[in-house]
Amino acid sequence: MDGDKVNSKEADATELSDSGKYNHLPEETATSNMVAHKGGEPEEKHSPEGGKLLAGEDGVATEVKFISAAGDAQNNGDANISIEAVKLAFTGMGKEELMKFANDPFWIKLRWFLFVLFWLLWAAMLAVAIAIIVMAPKCAAPAPKTWWEESPLYQVNVPTFKDGSESQDGKGDLKGIKEKLDYFIDMGIQGIILSPIMTGSAALPDHTENFIDIDPALGTMEDFVSLTSELKEKGINVAIRFVPNHSGIRHPWFQKSLAREDPYTDYYVWADKSGTDTEGHALPPNNWVSVNGGSAWEFNSQRGQFYLHQFGTEQPDLNFHNENIIREFKDILKFWIDKGVNGFILDKADFLLEDPLLKDETFNTHSKETHVDYSFYNHYQTRNYKGSIDLLSSFKVFVKNLTESGMLGVTANISGNSLIQYYNEDADGVDLPFYNGITSTLQSTDAQTLRTKIEEWLFSIPNGTWPNWELGSADVSRLASRVSPSMVDGVHMVFMLLPGTPITQYGDELGIEGDANVAMPWSNSTNGGFSEASALDFAVSDSYATLNVERQLSAPESHYKVFKALIESRKSPSIMYGSLTMHVINETVLAYSRVWVKSGSPGYLVLFNMGDLDLTVSVSIFKDVPEDVTVLIRSVGFSDSAVQVKAKLKSSAVPLPSHGALVLTYVPSDKTE
């Protein structure tokens, strides 16, 4: 073989022993199995077959293989060394070669160019992302609700709430309210409205003799400040109500005005007589009559003029065309804010201004009364006179500027259509014009009529304003008396979960009946736990033995617990911000849903059977209600024992006994027709 010839030429055979032979490599070809590389230093490599590689400068290496002769009969057990040329794989540049490129000016510039380009592109992408976020249209987060929007407003009649005096004289007072703070906290309300507490108000609420002091029968200013301070610590806000239209006749302002003492001369509405009758008596300036009947003018011989009183003769009307009076009342508002008050309810706000020219009232052609009766006239010159809303708006702005979350509400004995103007979107209006146009007629209202009235009121108020529902007041009988005891829970469910603020009268959460100002029943002890006095100035509810706070707090279910659960439900975004969809089912069931899909909150479904028959109804008319719904709240005495709180019901078959009511929750679905 040619290969054998080459091997024989390049090496001499050297005898070792009888066991084998090896071929001697020339010295210029290899040294100690080391591989020479370009740097001149030998480098040893291993081939995949286990031999040694001797690398050359051109990428070709000489492979030295030691071949065992065992089992080879021809070689007689001799070991052979095979030398072959092998192509080496590229193993990269050495450190010195790399450093040459690294220090080359061209590569340095290229690296800097790529570095700068990377950060420019990164900054550009960041700028674009920010621009997209800023400029892209997005849904604005709803404005957070204030305390008087989130919570019902709980009206407290101070003289009949709790006797807190050491002597137990049988009269409610400010200390009695402070004694019952835990009750407000447990209920979960954030705002209470106190009945008039100013000097002169305890006996007759409209006879204020001092707008910046506490009536002694109710306590002291120290008692009041202590009360508001502790309520504030508990997260409960205080609003007070009073009548700004007039003062009592014994008010120092009126006494000074009688004497024409400046600046009080024109603090009240004074006018000269229009003439004399046949007997020489002074005739009033015009045909205005008081709400109580008869002329609205009273002649005062000391001053020689008539003063206006749209109510009793001992209630002279203040002159709100006088800037001094406006400043006085702003000072009054500030005084009470400094004492811890965070809201005001101005009663009889529709009487604040009257025609300064004293023009006669026009006749009401629909009236069947006589000329001395109030309903005989239209009262365009004396009620809701132009400028009244702007005046009230200025009071509201004043309160807002002095408080973080102050509230100004008003009451007015007028129709809903007239009350809407008190929102007066352009002139800012007031926060809460108290609306009782629905609840005053609940007893004779069916489901369809109630739905119509609710929707008419909600659709009629200006956009962006917050509705309210006055469920009770000192001027009407108890809610349970106006509807029926079995419907109290249903009425509360409907109005507590509608958009808007419910305004309730103390004790209505217990379902008590009778007059508005009965003593609050705290227990079944003497006088219902209101006072230990032997006699009271006020009546106690006939049902106080069973419908009292102590019993309803401990009972498994009660009107109070329904009321409390409804207050807790109002914390849901679905109730504060959600949509309202209302239907009447089976002619007698008022039903509505509240859903706020953006928050992921559950949907709420309110069902109130106002009829006299037990029903099983389907709520499939609500397109987002799934097959199963969950009971959240049920009315007291619900006749179907299977309907328990937290129980699952089929939305196609919801039991509703006569006068029964439910609040259900569900996960809104996207089912379509």
Side-chain angles (χ1 to χ4, degrees), residues 49-72:
E49 291 81 7
K52 306 297 181 180
L53 296 180
L54 305 179
E57 294 184 0
D58 56 356
V60 177
T62 301
E63 181 178 22
V64 180
K65 291 185 179 179
F66 295 89
I67 303 173
S68 172
D72 190 342

Side-chain angles (χ1 to χ4, degrees), residues 121-135:
L121 291 174
W122 184 89
M125 288 188 292
L126 179 62
V128 170
I130 293 173
I132 291 173
I133 294 172
V134 172
M135 299 177 64

